[in-house]
Amino acid sequence: MKQIKNKTLLASVLTDGKGLQVFNPFDNSLIATIPVSCQSRVEQDVLDLDIGQKVWQKMPAAERCHLLKKWNQLILENEDDLARLITLEGGKPLKEALGEVRYGASFIEWFAEEGRRAYGSTIPSPSNDRTLLTVKQAIGVAAAITPWNFPLAMITRKAAPALAAGCSFICKPSESTPLTAFAVTELAYQAGIPKDVLRMVMGENAHDVGEVFTYHSSVRKFSFTGSTLVGRKLQMQCASTIKRTSMELGGNAPFIVFDDADIDSAIEGAMASKFRNAGQTCVCANRFYVQDAVYDEFVEKLVIAVDKLKVGNGLDEDTNIGPLISMEAKQRVLDLIEEAKGRGAKQVNREQKLGGQFVAPTVLVDVEHDRPLVQGEIFGPVLPIIRFHDEETMIDMANDTIYGLASYFYSQDMNRIWRVAHRLEYGMVGVNEGVISTEVAPFGGVKQSGNGREGAKEGLEEYLETKYVCIGGLER
Ligand code: ADP
């Protein structure tokens, strides 16, 4: 922990060997240990937050806005330390980690402002003796479970709208990356956000905390980012108390290059979309479809770009791809590659066998469409390419999945852009862009990629109820 300058960030959570161990995916060395809570402790946290929320929601929105802006400012002042923590426990290159800190902070600033605009409405009344209106009210205690691939931003884009709306917020981060989560929470406390309004917890195991968050009747909203497998289970648990949910689950993003595309721009977009966090994001391009006429040019240029990528320690300045999060993750990706190769796929870029938790960037052609590599989430730096002939078949292939999070396509034809953007069954479509996430636009999926949206004005709605008030017996 000597790389972290601001010692207050983790002072309250580091233990001398007891609790959850946190490892560096670069060399599997032990970074720190942090305390864990038993299930009844987490239940007590929820009860505390229930009391805290009643006070928090009465605070004028402008005052909540002020505290959130202070939090945003402290995160930016500590951005180097936070980026280092992200790289140390998550493995991503430092430059990307710094980008994540700024991206994560941007949600706090955005929702600090949006919280002041939680407008209700007046409704033209059907009779003269009644006035009809709606008001927006905080849902109550909001609970969240977040993953390791964006250990800071996945928390702030849930916590910020929750707090701005007047909810209290409790979160369990991933066991792989809890240090960033606790550090960012400490900064919230330093900004003046009360401890009975925001709390970070690590349980003895994820399942126990998940039970409290999903079954406890005082938790009124549950927000999850993670796999579709776990999200499906947690959504079912939430059904017992009819909780509002937001589910940001898996994706299987197609990246389509039509024959009228600007190929250099498509290569740039493909590299940015595919290799962010070593391919470990739910919006990473997962499968590439390239039309006949531009296929050879695209593959040739792509291989040149991919073979320039440097794999290494995220803390090194020139690293483009860090380690995967675990040995199991690496093995799963290698198995997917082997399976596809066994069915005729060919690697067209430089082959490298790497040790530790590293997987070399891999470009595969002649991949069959029904292979697990194409049908599921890869979560690694692997790029399967499939050749296609016509738009109609292409759209069917792109939509032939249980997922519907992000999709990308490249074309210069305006009619095609509208046509294809409308027909892709995805919550997000990037046209001639490989990276589209921003705090001002709604992020989320359709089908089994989940429900709800994060960021934008929609993100605040996730933490608000609409109450209809009818005032009757009026004289006019
Ligand atoms: P990932 O592949 O990103 O790790 P997971 O869905 O397995 O995706 O994990 C995302 C988050 O869900 C993590 O914080 C993890 O601890 C948590 N999690 C996993 N299984 C459960 C469960 N049964 N109940 C509650 N939380 C869980």
Side-chain angles (χ1 to χ4, degrees), residues 145-148 172-175 206-207 210 224-227 230 233-234:
I145 294 182
T146 54
W148 48 264
K172 185 200 82 64
S174 166
E175 290 68 20
H207 174 264
F224 176 72
T225 299
S227 61
V230 175
K233 180 173 176 290
L234 295 173

Side-chain angles (χ1 to χ4, degrees), residues 12-330:
S12 63
V13 288
L14 296 181
T15 66
D16 50 3
K18 282 213 180 70
L20 177 76
Q21 298 185 312
V22 186
F23 296 96
N24 183 341
F26 165 62
D27 56 5
N28 214 19
S29 57
L30 181 66
I31 308 174
T33 45
I34 60 160
V36 291
S37 302
C38 62
Q39 209 174 29
S40 57
R41 176 64 245 175
V42 181
E43 279 166 359
Q44 186 56 49
D45 286 326
V46 167
L47 296 176
D48 293 348
L49 287 196
D50 199 16
I51 296 167
Q53 194 269 332
K54 307 270 184 309
V55 180
W56 182 248
Q57 70 173 354
K58 282 192 195 146
M59 184 185 276
E63 282 177 39
R64 290 198 299 261
C65 166
H66 175 73
L67 293 175
L68 285 166
K69 283 195 166 177
K70 179 84 188 138
W71 186 21
N72 170 57
Q73 187 193 330
L74 288 180
I75 290 176
L76 294 176
E77 282 170 15
N78 286 275
E79 63 179 14
D80 288 333
D81 274 347
L82 291 168
R84 238 157 230 283
L85 269 181
I86 291 174
T87 298
L88 280 171
E89 62 180 353
K92 71 173 63 169
L94 200 54
K95 242 184 290 165
E96 277 187 40
L98 191 59
E100 181 186 340
V101 176
R102 293 173 186 168
Y103 172 64
S106 73
F107 285 92
I108 303 178
E109 186 177 38
W110 168 264
F111 283 112
E113 295 290 347
E114 282 299 286
R116 305 168 73 189
R117 302 187 187 107
Y119 301 123
S121 62
T122 54
I123 303 166
S125 177
S127 62
N128 278 341
D129 62 346
R130 292 183 185 184
T131 286
L132 278 44
L133 49 96
T134 66
V135 288
K136 296 284 182 179
Q137 288 187 329
I139 294 185
V141 178
I145 294 182
T146 54
W148 48 264
N149 59 349
F150 288 91
L152 189 145
M154 293 305 108
I155 292 170
T156 53
R157 75 179 185 179
K158 297 177 193 301
L163 298 181
C167 296
S168 52
F169 184 81
I170 184 166
C171 179
K172 185 200 82 64
S174 166
E175 290 68 20
S176 303
T177 54
L179 301 176
T180 312
F182 282 101
V184 87
T185 307
E186 170 59 30
L187 290 174
Y189 296 152
Q190 290 180 13
I193 293 171
K195 290 192 173 162
D196 58 359
V197 166
L198 173 67
R199 225 166 262 190
M200 198 57 60
V201 294
M202 182 50 70
E204 284 165 347
N205 63 67
H207 174 264
D208 286 1
V209 181
E211 277 193 345
V212 178
F213 285 6
T214 54
Y215 289 127
H216 202 297
S217 58
S218 294
V219 175
R220 306 288 288 276
K221 159 87 191 184
F222 178 67
S223 178
F224 176 72
T225 299
S227 61
T228 295
L229 193 72
V230 175
R232 194 180 286 128
K233 180 173 176 290
L234 295 173
Q235 173 100 317
M236 284 198 279
Q237 290 177 201
C238 285
S240 67
T241 46
I242 320 287
K243 280 190 213 322
R244 280 269 291 278
T245 61
S246 298
M247 293 279 161
E248 299 287 356
L249 309 178
N252 180 6
F255 188 105
I256 307 160
V257 184
F258 287 103
D259 54 13
D260 54 42
D262 174 336
I263 298 303
D264 291 334
S265 149
I267 297 288
E268 206 180 301
M271 297 297 291
S273 175
K274 176 72 245 184
F275 294 110
R276 210 147 62 107
N277 202 12
Q280 303 173 105
T281 87
C282 48
V283 292
C284 273
N286 203 57
R287 48 200 171 120
F288 288 73
Y289 299 95
V290 186
Q291 202 159 12
D292 280 327
V294 292
Y295 183 88
D296 291 342
E297 183 189 354
F298 181 84
V299 174
E300 197 178 308
K301 287 183 166 170
L302 185 76
V303 166
I304 293 170
V306 169
D307 281 343
K308 285 186 189 147
L309 293 174
K310 190 166 174 301
V311 183
N313 186 351
L315 290 178
D316 294 342
E317 187 65 7
D318 56 347
T319 293
N320 305 109
I321 299 184
L324 297 199
I325 191 69
S326 63
M327 282 310 279
E328 296 77 55
K330 170 176 175 168

